[in-house]
Amino acid sequence: ETGVTQSPTHLIKTRGQQVTLRCSSQSGHNTVSWYQQALGQGPQFIFQYYREEENGRGNFPPRFSGLQFPNYSSELNVNALELDDSALYLCASSLAGRDNEQFFGPGTRLTVL
Amino acid sequence: GENVEQHPSTLSVQEGDSAVIKCTYSDSASNYFPWYKQELGKGPQLIIDIRSNVGEKKDQRIAVTLNKTAKHFSLHITETQPEDSAVYFCAASLGYNYGQNFVFGPGTRLSVLP
């Protein structure tokens, strides 16, 4: 087990709604990254937060946003949900400057109907 | 940007045989190459990694090799066991100064037949 937890485990939303996913980083880790994993594909980088600020972003529109809190927990918010947003959302925590290693949580399965 | 290809997409081996998964990357600046194992319903689990200043790394039955000139790296699993059955992902990264952006390959589904 990595010590990274995510909630909820599963979520069903309808198109146009908004969703918030949560992640609790491994103890001592100050950096969190979020990934989207569509069925049968590898994870795709959404963005990363370090010291409560966005520190890198992948090719995702602004309706994907995030927050990192002083205790290093994190949220991923997605507005105006589209059918293609259905995926497994993974967060990964790491220690900045510590050998690049990222440790993933179990993910949140989002289904958009 | 970085692009990672991975082959084969599926691989079936008999228990006890070896399995090899190969990846190529496009950005010569990438310097960190982790391998992840993902079991059904779980998040990816880091199983081994290699950095650009090393050509080979081994951890018990698992080894990874890196050829920087050719821009490819491979995962080798020896003496495979049924519990090795999972989807394996390779990834490439430019390092923490670039927001630890991992670019993943599409995955290899490994089945170890008893």
Side-chain angles (χ1 to χ4, degrees), chain B residues 41-106:
Chain B
K42 296 185 178 181
Q45 175 193 0
L46 177 67
I47 57 172
I48 196 167
D49 56 15
I50 192 167
R51 302 177 198 288
S52 57
N53 59 346
V54 175
E56 184 174 356
K57 183 177 179 180
K58 188 174 181 180
D59 182 4
Q60 298 183 345
R61 296 187 296 111
I62 296 174
V64 58
T65 59
L66 171 65
N67 183 327
K68 284 191 63 179
T69 302
K71 289 188 283 188
H72 66 70
F73 55 114
S74 299
L75 177 71
H76 305 252
I77 305 174
T78 59
E79 301 173 16
T80 54
Q81 301 167 3
E83 51 265 39
D84 294 329
S85 296
V87 180
Y88 291 80
F89 293 97
C90 62
S93 171
L94 291 172
Y96 78 94
N97 287 327
Y98 292 86
Q100 290 183 326
N101 176 8
F102 284 11
V103 178
F104 283 84

Side-chain angles (χ1 to χ4, degrees), chain A:
Chain A
E1 296 295 328
T2 62
V4 180
T5 60
Q6 292 186 243
S7 62
T9 306
H10 297 88
L11 202 53
I12 299 175
K13 291 284 188 178
T14 56
R15 194 171 49 183
Q17 285 189 311
Q18 178 267 341
V19 68
T20 297
L21 310 181
R22 294 179 174 81
C23 171
S24 179
S25 296
Q26 184 167 317
S27 178
H29 283 184
N30 55 13
T31 303
V32 64
S33 302
W34 284 90
Y35 292 81
Q36 180 195 67
Q37 186 177 22
L39 202 60
Q41 297 181 24
Q44 278 196 296
F45 176 69
I46 303 175
F47 44 57
Q48 181 188 76
Y49 277 79
Y50 170 63
R51 290 186 175 177
E52 303 174 51
E53 292 192 1
E54 190 177 289
N55 179 42
R57 189 178 184 93
N59 190 26
F60 281 81
R63 60 190 185 84
F64 286 79
S65 63
L67 283 173
Q68 185 185 31
F69 301 99
N71 65 355
Y72 303 132
S73 64
S74 174
E75 287 182 355
L76 165 65
N77 299 288
V78 187
N79 294 322
L81 284 167
E82 301 177 359
L83 298 180
D84 286 348
D85 295 334
S86 295
L88 181 68
Y89 288 86
L90 297 160
C91 75
S93 76
S94 56
L95 186 59
R98 174 64 176 94
D99 297 338
N100 311 85
E101 295 168 348
Q102 292 190 18
F103 299 92
F104 284 83
T108 293
R109 172 72 63 189
L110 172 65
T111 302
V112 182
L113 302 176

